[in-house]
Amino acid sequence: MRPRFVLSLSGTVLLFASSLFLAAPPAAAAAATGNYVALGDSYSSGEGTGDYIGSAGSCNRSLHAYPALWASAHSPASFAFVACSGATTADVIDKQLSSVNSATTLVSISVGGNDAGFASAMQTCVLNGTNACLTAVNNSKNFATSKLPALLDQVYAGIRNRAPSARVVVLGYPHLYKIGGSCTFGISDTSRNAINGAADTIDSVIAGRAGAAGFAFGDVRPVFTDHEICSSDWWLNSTRVIVHESYHPNATGHANGYLPTFSARA
C-alpha cells in the first residue's frame, strides 16, 4: 500500500538510545536476557527514517526504528525484527507470527491502521479537499469501531497462544498535526483535526482490545505533543517526494517518542 500506513494509517540516535536507558526500569532490564520479537506495520518497521535494511521496496525496516534501538541498548539473547511496512492484521498472522514461540519473552506490535484504510484516507485528504477528506476519515473511523476489534483479537490471541508467558506491548499512533500550528499551506485545519480524531478512535480501539488480552498499551500521543506536523519541532514527516515516507515518524520520532514509550512498558 502506498503511501504506507499513515496512522501503513524520518551514530547519534544510537548513542542517545544507549544513554537514555542506563536508567531503564527493572522490567526492561529483566527482558534483556530474553528473546524479543518486533511485529507490526510501518510504524514499527521504521519507514520514514530514510535509512533501510535490505533492498528498496522491501519491508523498509530501519536500524533507527524503536525495536532496533531497544535491542541495541539492551542486547536481548535473540531479536527477530519482522515488522513490515504496509502490514495488516492478516499479514501479521500469515507472515510474522511464526517468529513468535514459547521461548519468546517480549513482543512489540503496532497494527490496525492499514486495516482501517487510513493511507487511502490521507491521500484523499491531500488531493481532494475538506469535504472528501471528512467522508474518507469517517469511513476509516467506522471500520475501526465496527470491524477492527475482531481483527485485533485474532492477532492478540495468536501472540498469546504462541508465547503464553511473553510480555506484550502494543503501540498506538500519534496525532499527525499541531492544530493552529505553523503550517500556512496544505490541507485545512478542519481536515487536520479530523485526522487527529481518527487517530484517537483507532488508539481507543487498540487500547481496549490490548487491555482485554492482558497486554500493555503504549500511548504515544502525549510524548508527540508539540512535535506533530506544523509544530516548531516535527517528529513526523509531512508530504515527501519519497511518498511512502509521508506521515510517518522520522528518526527523532522513533528515538524520542516511540522508544521511551515502549521501554517504559517492556
Side-chain angles (χ1 to χ4, degrees):
M1 173 186 302
R2 298 291 185 185
R4 300 298 190 188
F5 171 48
V6 164
L7 260 180
S8 291
L9 239 233
S10 242
T12 301
V13 171
L14 293 178
L15 178 60
F16 171 84
S18 298
S19 62
L20 178 63
F21 292 104
L22 289 175
T33 57
N35 303 296
Y36 171 33
V37 180
L39 308 172
D41 56 22
S42 56
Y43 272 57
S44 289
S45 73
E47 182 161 45
T49 65
D51 184 13
Y52 308 111
I53 304 165
S55 60
S58 62
C59 284
N60 290 339
R61 300 183 186 110
S62 173
L63 294 179
H64 300 295
Y66 75 86
L69 294 176
W70 191 93
S72 177
H74 293 80
S75 301
S78 68
F79 172 42
F81 190 10
V82 295
C84 190
S85 182
T88 63
T89 53
D91 292 326
V92 171
I93 291 170
D94 295 340
K95 302 174 183 179
Q96 299 182 21
L97 272 186
S98 58
S99 295
V100 178
N101 57 49
S102 59
T104 301
T105 56
L106 178 64
V107 176
S108 64
I109 183 170
S110 63
V111 74
N114 287 320
D115 295 84
F118 211 75
S120 60
M122 280 299 304
Q123 184 175 18
T124 297
C125 291
V126 171
L127 298 178
N128 299 115
T130 299
N131 289 338
C133 176
L134 297 181
T135 298
V137 168
N138 283 334
N139 288 340
S140 291
K141 290 170 67 175
N142 289 337
F143 184 98
T145 55
S146 64
K147 297 181 180 179
L148 186 58
L151 298 176
L152 294 173
D153 286 347
Q154 292 177 31
V155 173
Y156 299 160
I159 295 171
R160 182 53 72 218
N161 288 339
R162 296 184 67 88
S165 301
R167 173 73 171 170
V168 181
V169 181
V170 180
L171 281 300
Y173 304 105
H175 287 163
L176 292 185
Y177 291 101
K178 177 74 173 179
I179 305 302
S182 60
C183 296
T184 57
F185 57 89
I187 66 176
S188 68
D189 270 356
T190 299
S191 293
R192 292 170 180 150
N193 193 60
I195 291 164
N196 286 350
D200 290 333
T201 297
I202 293 173
D203 281 347
S204 178
V205 171
I206 291 172
R209 300 326 303 157
F215 299 164
F217 175 68
D219 187 352
V220 297
R221 288 170 294 179
V223 73
F224 272 84
T225 298
D226 294 328
H227 299 290
E228 309 94 335
I229 299 167
C230 302
S231 71
S232 61
D233 182 20
W234 298 16
W235 290 0
L236 295 142
N237 299 321
S238 186
T239 305
R240 294 174 63 90
V241 174
I242 303 175
V243 177
H244 60 85
E245 292 187 338
S246 303
Y247 310 110
H248 288 79
N250 56 31
T252 303
H254 276 273
N256 292 3
Y258 271 86
L259 179 60
T261 303
F262 170 60
S263 297
R265 294 157 179 82

